[in-house]
Amino acid sequence: MNASRTARERARAELVAEITAAARRQLAETGAAALSMRAVSREIGMVSSALHRYFPTRDDLLTALIVQSYDGLADALAAADPGTGPAEHWRAVAHAVRGWALARPHEYALIYGSPVPGYRAPTDTVPAAARVLEPLARALGAAHAAGTLPEAPDPDPALAADAARVRAALDLPDLSDGAVLAALTAWTGLFGHLSFELFGQFDNAVDARDALFAGTVERLGRVAGLIR
C-alpha cells in the first residue's frame, strides 16, 4: 500500500510539474493577467475539469507559479555565494539576481512587476519570498560581525516599527535601525534598476547596460555599507 501511495504521489508530482511548466510558457507568451486554465489544460491534453482537481482556481495556479519563481531566484542566489567577504558576496548576489531576471523575464515580472488584476497573494508565498533575502542577510551579518558595517544615521522615529519588521525578516537582531533601512534602500534600488532594464525604461537611453549595472551595484553596495 505504501508503494502504491508513493507511486500515486510521484505521478501527481509529475503532472503538477507538467501543468506549471505549461503555465510558465503561457506567462512568457501572454503575461500573468492573461493566464488561462482552459489554455493550460488544452496544451497538456487534459480536460479542464481534471485540471481543477490539481489547481481549483486560476489564483491557486498563480500562487504555485509565484512560489516556484521565488524558489528559483533564491536557489540562483544561494549558488552565487562566493564564500568570501561581504563586498564580494554583495556583487555576486546582485549579478546573480540580474542573470536570473534576464533569463526569466516573465517570472521576474510575475513576482516584481505590476500586480495581477484581481489576484491577492496568500501567505503561502511569504516563506518563499523571504528566502530571496537570505544572501543579503548573510552579507550584512558577516560585515556586522567583522565590524566593517559603518554606523548609519538614525532614521525618522516613524520608521522604527518598519525597521523592526525588516530586521526580523533578515534575522539580524543586533543590526541598528539605520543599518537595516540602508540595506533596504540598497536592495530595493537593485530591483528598481532591474525593473527599468526589463520593462523597457532604458530603451533609447542606455546601451551600455552591463557597465551601468556594475556601477549601480557598487553605489548601492556603499549605501548598504557592504562596500567601503
Side-chain angles (χ1 to χ4, degrees):
M1 185 176 295
N2 287 342
S4 176
R5 184 164 56 245
T6 300
R8 287 197 301 271
E9 290 170 351
R10 186 164 56 248
R12 180 183 178 84
E14 289 172 355
L15 187 50
V16 165
E18 185 179 356
I19 292 168
T20 55
R24 281 197 301 274
R25 288 191 293 272
Q26 191 180 134
L27 283 183
E29 294 171 3
T30 63
L35 181 67
S36 163
M37 298 280 281
R38 187 178 299 277
V40 170
S41 62
R42 186 166 56 246
E43 178 177 340
I44 63 175
M46 174 185 286
V47 296
S48 57
S49 58
L51 179 62
H52 284 282
R53 289 202 294 269
Y54 297 90
F55 296 99
T57 68
R58 184 204 67 156
D59 285 2
D60 293 312
L61 180 55
L62 270 175
T63 297
L65 295 174
I66 288 169
V67 169
Q68 287 182 1
S69 296
Y70 276 128
D71 281 340
L73 176 55
D75 290 344
L77 301 190
D81 183 354
T84 53
E88 292 77 10
H89 191 166
W90 165 255
R91 292 183 184 108
V93 165
H95 284 278
V97 172
R98 183 173 183 248
W100 183 88
L102 292 177
R104 299 169 178 80
H106 56 288
E107 292 186 55
Y108 180 92
L110 177 63
I111 55 179
Y112 295 116
S114 300
V116 179
Y119 174 79
R120 185 176 179 84
T123 56
D124 299 13
T125 62
V126 172
R131 283 190 61 212
V132 175
L133 285 173
E134 291 174 2
L136 174 65
R138 286 197 299 275
L140 289 168
H144 182 64
T148 60
L149 199 63
E151 285 297 323
D154 290 334
D156 186 324
L159 291 168
D162 297 326
R165 278 191 291 273
V166 176
R167 183 167 39 244
L170 294 170
D171 194 21
L172 294 172
D174 297 331
L175 226 56
S176 69
D177 285 0
V180 166
L181 293 174
L184 180 63
T185 297
W187 195 240
T188 55
L190 180 68
F191 283 86
H193 181 110
L194 287 172
S195 293
F196 261 56
E197 182 171 5
L198 266 70
F199 302 148
Q201 301 302 318
F202 288 152
D203 291 355
N204 303 314
V206 178
D207 290 329
R209 298 184 184 182
D210 292 349
L212 181 66
F213 184 75
T216 296
V217 170
E218 295 301 301
R219 287 184 286 274
L220 292 176
R222 287 192 288 274
V223 169
L226 296 171
I227 297 177
R228 304 298 293 271

